[in-house]
Amino acid sequence: MGWDVIVVGAGHAGCEAAAAAARMGVRVAIVTLHRSTIAQMPCNPAIGGIGKGHLVAELDAVGGLQGWAADRAGLQFKTLNASRGPAVWGPRAQCDKERYTTAMRRVLERMVGLDVVEGEVEGLLVGDGAVTGVRLADGRRMRAAVTILTTGTFLGGLLHSGDERQPGGRFGEAPSTGLGAELAGLGLEMFRFKTGTPPRLARRSLDLADLPIQRGDEPPRAFSWRSRRVRNQIVCWMTRTPERVQTIIENNLHRSPLFAGVIAGVGPRYCPSIEDKVVRFPHHREHTVFLEPEGVESESIYVNGLSTSLPRDVQEAVVRAVPGLENAEFLRYGYAVEYDVVAPHQVTRELKVETVPGLAVAGQLLGTSGYEEAAALGWLAGVNTVLNLRGDAPWVPGREQAYLGVLVDDLVSRTHVEPYRMFTSRAEHRLLLGVDSARERLMGEGVRLGLVPPAVFHVEQGRWDARARARETLEGVAINPDRGTRSRLLAEAGIDVSAPTTWARVLRRPDVDAERVAEIAPGMGELDPEDRRIVVGLLRYDGYLARHRREVERIARLRNLVIPAGFDPATMPGLSREVVEQLTRHRPRTLAEAETVPGMTPAAMAILAGHISRAGMRG
């Protein structure tokens, strides 16, 4: 049997790639070692977060599945960064890992044109320099026009726990040993990254009664347009490592594979192990730990903040020194996994390998970190593979359109020395790319690609139009504060209006209860609470948007500015430790060169441009 597309690996990238391609009408096979591990969550069973939640919202807007699956499996829904502006809100769902896997597996198994094949891909079929399919360990050969590799951490995977090392892509699963060598044989540049995971503890063994409780939002917000309602079903808990943990780890660093030189791969800067935190931040004598259930009926508690590859006895000492965990029973010890990565500069923005026809790569194999980044890349690879097979133009949004575009552009155009993780700070147009605007920005493309029903699009359009009408009304309707109006507004909304104004100006005032005012403001009655919240958020963001546009224009004018030879980034307030390290290492000569330095963000560029331009004026 032949297929149009073969997807190797059924993690978050593979599921999105296979589903998108099949729904666009081509014949697809997705190859996985075991059906039971489709869309598995080997690390934290959570979807979304700061920057990552934007990717999930955008992926959902164009017809991806991750947001829907998170809604189906969600146990607690919470918006991170809620105290800041709506452009940087980070919706997040703590999920039941078994429900998530089950939901995604059932979708794939029932999808027309998609075959789920169990087997181990041992190598690639190559003819005349092009990949024509895959070779399975049991001797089967599968042929397709395009093969998409989404193997996650399995290529050359090696698990580390203290001085224990064993081959593995993740706990309990064998790695792929031959495929990485074949990619290198095709001339691809490969390097090593690493990631890690914390211990899992038995809930029955923990003393949670006196720990601070972390609750979800009320009402909770769903990710997907497919979801009518979601609900919070659990609470999480928070604790902190005492100073004694710092001492335990410092006394055992020589037993850590990370610091003993055993692990060659570079780990994610923004999700470090506890031993890495102790070394990098010695002045932080305590570290926050979140205790998150892995399922509504599961005994397993994910210890968020204690990722480690220390030996088991040290893990036990560390964990049992933490308040609430004194009698902890381990269900699984933490470990690190080291794995091969394809250098992403070798792929196009459509995620095709430039030098090897018939081959595409997506997900963690391209050096990303996280379920959300993997899913986004998988979807883009699946969609653009089908467009290419049809002879149609590819579709990858620009940086000004979506975080999807920021993700791809960052990956293929910059040098990466560590796993890539999405943050809002990476998007120079982030004020225009809020979660609330994802459908309005992108759903039309989902319809065009055949992944979003037109009827859904029309319903959403009605909501956008209603919000636009409400805003026009708020901007246009005046408030003339005669005695009766002034008294009524004070009684009903708690605001005192002493001079003529508009409802929009009142809602922009920081001293008013915007939700209370919105309930009585003209034009808002036809909107549901969610749409009222969006309208108010946009009104209050107007000033920031105007300032943002001016800042983007200013940096564009300053790109050719020369950086002084004696410039010391360590003396500049506001730059992250990562940016300082990379600027010191690469020593860019101009702001244009600084923009390409690994880890450089638009926010850091703004700080750097301001400092250099002021220094130039002083000189």
Side-chain angles (χ1 to χ4, degrees):
M1 178 184 290
W3 293 268
D4 299 300
V5 179
I6 293 173
V7 178
V8 180
H12 301 275
C15 289
E16 295 288 356
R23 292 170 63 206
M24 290 176 72
V26 301
R27 185 80 178 172
V28 181
I30 184 168
V31 186
T32 178
L33 287 171
H34 308 286
R35 287 174 183 259
S36 61
T37 59
I38 287 174
Q40 194 174 64
M41 294 174 137
C43 202
N44 191 0
I47 296 294
I50 299 170
K52 293 171 175 284
H54 291 72
L55 287 175
V56 181
E58 291 179 351
L59 186 57
D60 184 74
V62 291
L65 299 177
Q66 188 171 69
W68 166 83
D71 288 345
R72 290 290 295 268
L75 300 176
Q76 186 190 88
F77 297 81
K78 190 168 188 171
T79 298
L80 309 184
N81 259 357
S83 62
R84 301 179 62 188
V88 294
W89 288 348
R92 180 183 186 271
Q94 187 72 20
C95 297
D96 184 310
K97 61 191 300 182
E98 295 302 328
R99 288 184 186 176
Y100 188 96
T101 295
T102 299
M104 196 69 81
R105 184 180 71 246
R106 286 175 177 172
V107 166
L108 297 185
E109 289 176 339
R110 297 170 183 175
M111 194 166 286
V112 175
L114 175 59
D115 297 318
V116 178
V117 178
E118 286 189 312
E120 178 187 351
V121 173
E122 190 176 61
L124 301 172
L125 301 179
V126 181
D128 297 326
V131 172
T132 60
V134 298
R135 185 179 69 256
L136 272 57
D138 61 9
R140 284 178 291 173
R141 292 172 176 253
M142 301 174 61
R143 298 189 180 276
V146 178
T147 298
I148 305 176
L149 298 182
T150 64
T151 52
T153 61
F154 278 75
L155 255 62
L158 185 62
L159 307 183
H160 296 265
S161 182
D163 58 2
E164 297 178 22
R165 289 182 295 280
Q166 63 181 47
R170 57 189 174 218
F171 182 80
E173 296 186 64
S176 172
T177 55
L179 194 52
E182 290 205 8
L183 292 177
L186 289 171
L188 295 185
E189 178 188 350
M190 310 286 290
F191 50 85
R192 298 284 276 179
F193 275 170
K194 80 100 181 171
T195 189
T197 190
R200 291 355 181 241
L201 306 178
R203 178 172 176 168
R204 62 181 175 270
S205 67
L206 308 182
D207 184 3
L208 305 171
D210 295 327
L211 298 183
I213 290 176
Q214 303 289 298
R215 301 186 186 277
D217 295 338
E218 287 297 344
R221 297 178 59 197
F223 277 113
S224 181
W225 48 265
R226 301 172 178 89
S227 304
R228 293 186 178 181
R229 186 174 66 91
V230 295
R231 61 190 180 95
N232 292 316
Q233 303 174 59
I234 63 165
V235 297
C236 300
W237 298 267
M238 183 177 73
T239 184
R240 293 182 67 80
T241 62
E243 191 165 339
R244 186 156 61 97
V245 164
Q246 191 97 350
T247 303
I248 294 170
I249 292 174
E250 288 172 345
N251 291 339
N252 287 278
L253 280 177
H254 63 286
R255 302 180 64 195
S256 164
L258 183 63
F259 291 98
V262 176
I263 295 178
V266 181
R269 175 181 296 265
Y270 295 104
C271 190
S273 65
I274 186 63
E275 54 265 40
D276 202 13
K277 292 179 191 177
V278 165
V279 171
R280 285 167 52 190
F281 311 110
H283 55 288
H284 291 171
R285 306 304 290 180
E286 296 183 349
H287 300 278
T288 302
V289 175
F290 295 97
L291 304 175
E292 300 171 329
E294 293 201 304
V296 69
E297 298 177 356
S298 173
E299 265 288 292
S300 181
I301 297 290
Y302 181 91
V303 190
N304 192 348
L306 281 185
S307 176
T308 183
S309 58
L310 286 164
R312 294 186 176 191
D313 62 304
V314 182
Q315 291 190 37
E316 291 172 0
V318 167
V319 166
R320 290 171 182 157
V322 177
L325 313 185
E326 293 87 350
N327 300 305
E329 174 189 337
F330 282 67
L331 299 178
R332 181 189 301 173
Y333 291 85
Y335 64 90
V337 56
E338 196 176 7
Y339 56 96
D340 290 334
V341 171
V342 173
H345 67 80
Q346 301 166 106
V347 303
T348 67
R349 281 173 166 75
E350 302 88 63
L351 305 181
K352 298 186 297 183
V353 177
E354 285 191 291
T355 57
V356 185
L359 184 64
V361 182
Q364 211 161 348
L365 181 57
L366 267 186
T368 60
S369 170
Y371 308 145
E372 302 82 2
E373 293 88 343
L377 291 174
W379 184 90
L380 286 164
V383 164
N384 282 295
T385 292
V386 176
L387 292 175
N388 183 61
L389 290 173
R390 292 177 180 170
D392 295 338
W395 184 74
V396 178
R399 298 182 68 94
E400 74 289 351
Q401 289 178 276
Y403 279 85
L404 293 171
V406 174
L407 172 64
V408 172
D409 189 58
D410 278 354
L411 276 178
V412 305
S413 64
R414 300 190 180 193
T415 301
H416 298 280
V417 295
E418 60 193 40
Y420 179 95
R421 177 174 178 171
M422 179 56 70
F423 289 104
T424 54
S425 60
R426 296 193 188 274
E428 60 270 43
H429 303 288
R430 60 189 173 278
L431 295 188
L432 306 176
L433 304 179
V435 171
D436 290 335
S437 68
R439 296 177 194 175
E440 200 164 353
R441 287 184 279 116
L442 298 173
M443 190 173 269
E445 291 295 341
V447 174
R448 182 181 69 83
L449 294 167
L451 300 174
V452 174
V456 171
F457 181 62
H458 294 319
V459 170
E460 290 292 329
Q461 272 189 316
R463 292 183 64 189
W464 308 332
D465 292 343
R467 294 202 296 252
R469 289 193 300 270
R471 177 159 182 169
E472 288 177 8
T473 300
L474 295 169
E475 297 279 14
V477 174
I479 301 175
N480 295 305
D482 55 63
R483 181 177 298 177
T485 301
R486 191 171 181 179
S487 299
R488 182 174 66 85
L489 290 175
L490 190 60
E492 295 182 7
I495 56 173
D496 187 17
V497 179
S498 59
T501 186
T502 65
W503 285 92
R505 290 196 192 104
V506 169
L507 283 165
R508 290 189 183 105
R509 282 170 46 177
D511 62 325
V512 305
D513 184 339
E515 290 185 10
R516 189 175 172 189
V517 174
E519 289 179 356
I520 65 170
M524 301 287 269
E526 66 175 296
L527 303 182
D528 63 24
E530 179 74 4
D531 284 327
R532 284 203 298 269
R533 182 190 60 77
I534 291 173
V535 170
V536 171
L538 290 174
L539 281 172
R540 291 189 153 191
Y541 237 49
D542 279 347
Y544 295 100
L545 289 171
R547 189 167 65 192
H548 162 73
R549 292 187 182 98
R550 292 194 298 270
E551 184 64 25
V552 170
E553 292 169 1
R554 184 179 74 88
I555 292 175
R557 292 194 301 270
L558 295 174
R559 276 195 170 88
N560 293 323
L561 200 64
V562 174
I563 298 174
F567 160 67
D568 182 5
T571 64
M572 188 179 302
L575 292 181
S576 70
R577 180 172 176 163
E578 176 188 8
V579 170
V580 170
E581 288 176 1
Q582 296 301 336
L583 286 173
T584 302
R585 178 180 302 167
H586 292 276
R587 291 290 173 189
R589 295 170 297 174
T590 65
L591 284 180
E593 288 184 11
E595 201 167 23
T596 66
V597 166
M600 179 60 71
T601 67
M605 276 293 293
I607 294 170
L608 185 61
H611 182 87
I612 299 301
S613 60
R614 286 193 298 271
M617 287 187 284
R618 287 196 299 270

